[in-house]
Amino acid sequence: MLLTDIAVEHTLVSKQTGVRQTFLLHPFTDTQRDSLGKFEVVRDVREPGLKEGKRSTFVTFQQLAELYAKGTLDEFGFSVRMCPAQGTYPAKNPAKKILPASIRPGSPFEMAVQQVDVSKPASRELRTALLRTHVKL
């Protein structure tokens, strides 16, 4: 399932030919067993004693809205794995940052973000999921 409430434009330049392709990307839910119906959030990890690289975890629609509402995506440098609505992406689907301008006004996702009570702590499931990315809430 695509979350079309969020749309980010992305330009890919071919290394071989130099041809530029522009894609309109949306977050999508995974189709694998354990992460079925969840969105992938990705974070670059550069911590002492750990191998430098990317760490990711999967979150539900409501958890994604909560992360966005609380500013966690921006604070910890998270991106969301995206794919085009039409056609296929020629490489691995990129992870992009979600800016407020990327969210369609009045959409169900924007409503879910507005309904989050930011004064409440994150749920146990969300905190557990974020531990994979070395983030403690």
Side-chain angles (χ1 to χ4, degrees), residues 16-87:
Q16 290 88 9
T17 63
V19 175
R20 299 171 68 87
Q21 290 180 289
T22 301
F23 296 90
L24 189 60
L25 303 176
H26 307 281
F28 65 99
T29 55
D30 199 41
T31 58
Q32 302 300 314
R33 285 184 224 156
D34 293 342
S35 54
L36 181 65
K38 294 183 178 182
F39 300 94
E40 183 180 13
V41 292
V42 182
R43 178 174 181 253
D44 287 327
V45 177
R46 294 181 192 97
E47 295 179 8
L50 295 175
K51 184 177 179 185
E52 187 175 314
K54 296 189 181 296
R55 300 284 187 266
S56 70
T57 192
F58 293 89
V59 296
T60 64
F61 177 87
Q62 191 58 42
Q63 290 170 337
L64 183 62
E66 182 176 349
L67 290 171
Y68 187 81
K70 291 183 176 183
T72 307
L73 292 174
D74 189 42
E75 180 182 351
F76 292 101
F78 279 104
S79 299
V80 179
R81 184 77 60 202
M82 312 283 261
C83 75
Q86 305 296 322

